[in-house]
């Protein structure tokens, strides 16, 4: 039993400062699988070590994607480990052999959580979702339904369902991203509007967006040069601006 603070410190460095120097990295399987099951930030941090064991040491984790799916909650857009989590999530969802229902569940859940996400997170997750569509064309039914969201009387997606295969995500549509096309931040609205167009085959590079912060977004807006707007106006005549105003006979603007 480790204190929570120490638990996090160990997991942060485990993948690059501990596992590479172990003769048998597989000895960490139990430690990492238990950490992965705890939830919250500790589960996010355990992903790095698990990825190495799965990728390099043939670890089989039957419910891995189910657990990964359960980690998607509103906090993922706010935690300080956000960049690390989405980098690994991108790797885990990169295989073209994943079933469409699974990827659709991740797309739908990320989109639903995006409704309450800050702008800096939205500018990252929208291209992230577009990349998933490029890798898994079968999921484009979420965008290209015959009548769009209006084709559904209600959203069949079950947000509370822990099993991705039973969430009915493929029967749904991405009305959440369509609503973000009216977002108050113009860059977010512009990013969401790309779903109205046909996506290019080349994936977007999201590496520079993973650590985008609110202060960087604010500085970018402040440094924008304002366009010069030409104005036309009529020179004021009289108190209320009318040429033959009776008030002009009795009152002066001097």
């Amino acid at each position: 039993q480790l204190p929570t603070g120490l638990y996090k410190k160990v997991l942060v460095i485990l993948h690059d400062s501990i596992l590479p120097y172990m003769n048998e990295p597989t000895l960490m399987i139990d430690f990492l699988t238990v950490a992965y099951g705890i939830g919250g930030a500790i589960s996010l941090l355990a992903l790095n070590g698990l990825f190495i064991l799965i990728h390099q040491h043939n670890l089989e984790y039957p419910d891995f994607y189910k657990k990964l799916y359960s980690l998607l909650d509103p906090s993922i857009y706010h935690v300080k480990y956000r960049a690390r989590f989405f980098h690994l999530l991108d790797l885990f969802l990169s295989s073209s052999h994943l079933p469409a229902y699974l990827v659709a569940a991740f797309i739908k859940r990320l989109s639903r959580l995006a409704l309450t996400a800050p702008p800096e997170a939205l500018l990252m997750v929208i291209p992230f979702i577009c990349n998933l569509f490029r890798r898994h064309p079968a999921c484009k039914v979420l965008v290209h339904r015959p009548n769009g969201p209006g084709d559904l009387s209600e959203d069949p997606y079950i947000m509370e369902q822990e099993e991705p295969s039973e969430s009915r995500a493929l029967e749904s549509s991405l009305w959440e991203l369509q609503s973000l096309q009216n977002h108050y931040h113009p860059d977010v609205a512009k990013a969401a509007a790309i779903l109205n167009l046909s996506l290019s085959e080349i994936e977007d590079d999201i590496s520079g967006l993973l650590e985008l912060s609110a202060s960087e977004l604010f500085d970018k807006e402040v440094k924008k040069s304002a366009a010069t707007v030409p104005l036309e106006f009529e020179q004021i005549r009289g108190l209320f601006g009318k040429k033959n105003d009776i008030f002009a006979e009795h009152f002066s603007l001097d």
Side-chain angles (χ1 to χ4, degrees):
Q1 295 294 325
L2 296 175
T4 304
L6 183 58
Y7 217 155
K8 291 181 180 179
K9 288 179 180 178
V10 169
L11 290 171
V12 164
I13 65 171
L14 187 69
H15 66 287
D16 59 358
S17 299
I18 298 176
L19 286 180
Y21 302 100
M22 294 182 67
N23 291 328
E24 295 184 48
T26 51
L27 291 173
M28 300 300 294
I29 289 177
D30 288 341
F31 175 75
L32 285 169
T33 51
V34 169
Y36 190 46
I38 289 177
I42 290 179
S43 289
L44 299 185
L45 294 174
L47 274 174
N48 262 114
L50 275 177
F51 172 72
I52 291 176
L53 293 179
I54 291 171
H55 187 65
Q56 299 178 9
H57 301 282
N58 300 319
L59 168 65
E60 291 188 11
Y61 195 117
D63 292 330
F64 178 80
Y65 282 99
K66 177 182 176 181
K67 180 61 183 174
L68 185 62
Y69 181 72
S70 70
L71 291 180
L72 300 182
D73 60 34
S75 68
I76 60 166
Y77 291 128
H78 302 275
V79 293
K80 66 178 181 178
Y81 308 113
R82 185 185 73 196
R84 174 187 294 225
F85 174 70
F86 276 95
H87 170 69
L88 290 170
L89 184 62
D90 189 44
L91 288 175
F92 291 133
L93 296 177
S94 61
S95 173
S96 58
H97 298 293
L98 292 175
Y101 75 82
L102 179 67
V103 180
F106 276 91
I107 290 174
K108 184 64 180 175
R109 192 156 183 141
L110 286 170
S111 301
R112 182 66 61 86
L113 296 174
L115 293 174
T116 57
E120 64 272 16
L122 292 174
L123 291 175
M124 175 271 300
V125 79
I126 293 173
F128 183 93
I129 290 173
C130 290
N131 285 347
L132 292 180
F133 280 127
R134 292 182 175 101
R135 296 171 196 166
H136 308 276
C139 294
K140 289 184 178 179
V141 67
L142 292 173
V143 178
H144 301 296
R145 290 202 176 278
N147 300 319
D151 198 29
L152 303 170
S153 58
E154 60 181 13
D155 194 343
Y157 174 66
I158 306 171
M159 180 75 172
E160 298 75 22
Q161 178 56 252
E162 294 181 359
E163 184 61 56
S165 61
E166 298 177 9
S167 65
R168 300 179 64 191
L170 268 179
E171 302 172 31
S172 183
S173 70
L174 287 192
W175 59 266
E176 297 92 347
L177 292 191
Q178 187 171 5
S179 69
L180 290 179
Q181 294 175 7
N182 299 312
H183 196 273
Y184 69 87
H185 197 291
D187 288 349
V188 173
K190 182 179 178 181
I194 196 173
L195 289 174
N196 295 336
L197 310 172
S198 58
L199 293 175
S200 63
E201 294 183 3
I202 301 174
E203 291 191 11
D204 295 324
D205 182 14
I206 63 169
S207 58
L209 301 172
L210 290 176
E211 297 188 16
L212 185 65
S213 65
S215 58
E216 290 174 341
L217 207 58
F218 182 78
D219 290 341
K220 180 182 175 183
E221 289 296 318
V222 169
K223 292 176 182 176
K224 281 184 178 178
S225 56
T228 303
V229 181
L231 299 176
E232 292 186 7
F233 65 95
E234 289 186 16
Q235 188 173 358
I236 191 166
R237 295 171 180 170
L239 187 62
F240 294 106
K242 295 181 180 179
K243 186 175 181 180
N244 300 318
D245 189 358
I246 190 172
F247 288 95
E249 299 177 10
H250 306 284
F251 298 94
S252 171
L253 293 175
D254 294 337

